[in-house]
Amino acid sequence: MRALLLVSLLLMGCTTHAQTPEATVSDFYHFYLADFVSDSHENPLTSSKMQQYVAKETLTRLKAIQDIEEQEIVEADYFTYCQDYAAEWIPALEVGTARDDAGGKVLDVWLGIQEGKKLKLRDYLRQEDRNWKIYRVVDVSNGFEQNIFDDKAISAAKAHAATLSKN
């Protein structure tokens, strides 16, 4: 009987508890914003933390776009829609409640920005490896999306970059 109890306890300890979409997004932005304001010259797209929070396809696309010379697909940071960010704005982060969306989840995020204002983003998540991961971010405040999923735009940017290297 003791052996059965011990095996049951061990099995319960081995199961991973998947985070909620809200916890995933909150943890991601606390990590990401702190990294964004640091003077680190490491490419965050290749970090293990990013792989923990962001869908593989999204990271692959962002890395490929980043390698295109003078591309205009991603004009600001994809996850914040900002060029720069200040550490004092981080405490203003708010994460909304997740809603069902096309087999995944969607939730609103408010980032603190200058003059006490907030920038509203919408994060889309899906399950990957039994964890919620961010795969798409939209700037709701400005009605804008950096369309990293537009294969035609990526092909056009690569073609344009090829002409630059020939000159």
Side-chain angles (χ1 to χ4, degrees):
M1 186 59 129
R2 285 184 191 184
L4 181 61
L5 180 61
L6 181 60
V7 169
S8 296
L9 289 172
L10 284 172
L11 287 174
M12 287 189 325
C14 292
T15 52
T16 59
H17 175 52
Q19 283 193 312
T20 65
E22 294 89 349
T24 297
V25 171
S26 179
D27 290 352
F28 168 75
Y29 277 101
H30 280 100
F31 144 73
Y32 191 75
L33 294 174
D35 188 67
F36 194 58
V37 300
S38 76
D39 288 332
S40 170
H41 297 290
E42 179 184 338
N43 182 354
L45 295 178
T46 59
S47 78
S48 61
K49 278 289 220 188
M50 290 296 280
Q51 293 171 19
Q52 179 181 342
Y53 297 115
V54 181
K56 290 175 192 166
E57 179 186 10
T58 302
L59 288 174
T60 299
R61 285 179 172 275
L62 287 169
K63 286 180 211 168
I65 291 166
Q66 186 177 59
D67 292 340
I68 302 170
E69 186 179 351
E70 294 192 31
Q71 59 80 24
E72 294 182 5
I73 299 165
V74 176
E75 298 174 13
D77 179 77
Y78 184 72
F79 299 100
T80 64
Y81 281 78
C82 297
Q83 295 289 340
D84 296 307
Y85 203 79
E88 59 268 16
W89 301 340
I90 295 172
L93 172 70
E94 290 181 44
V95 175
T97 303
R99 309 174 300 280
D100 291 335
D101 181 74
K105 299 288 184 182
V106 61
L107 51 90
D108 294 330
V109 176
W110 292 268
L111 299 181
I113 57 174
Q114 70 275 1
E115 301 171 9
K117 297 177 184 173
K118 295 210 176 197
L119 174 68
K120 182 178 179 181
L121 305 176
R122 185 158 291 141
D123 283 20
Y124 293 81
L125 293 87
R126 61 179 167 210
Q127 286 204 306
E128 185 177 284
D129 302 326
R130 294 184 302 216
N131 294 304
W132 288 106
K133 296 199 178 185
I134 300 166
Y135 74 90
R136 179 178 167 212
V137 180
V138 175
D139 177 350
V140 176
S141 289
N142 298 299
F144 180 70
E145 180 174 5
Q146 299 179 103
N147 200 348
I148 67 168
F149 298 101
D150 185 342
D151 291 330
K152 288 181 182 178
I154 293 170
S155 294
K158 286 179 180 177
H160 176 69
T163 65
L164 296 174
S165 61
K166 289 180 184 177
N167 295 332

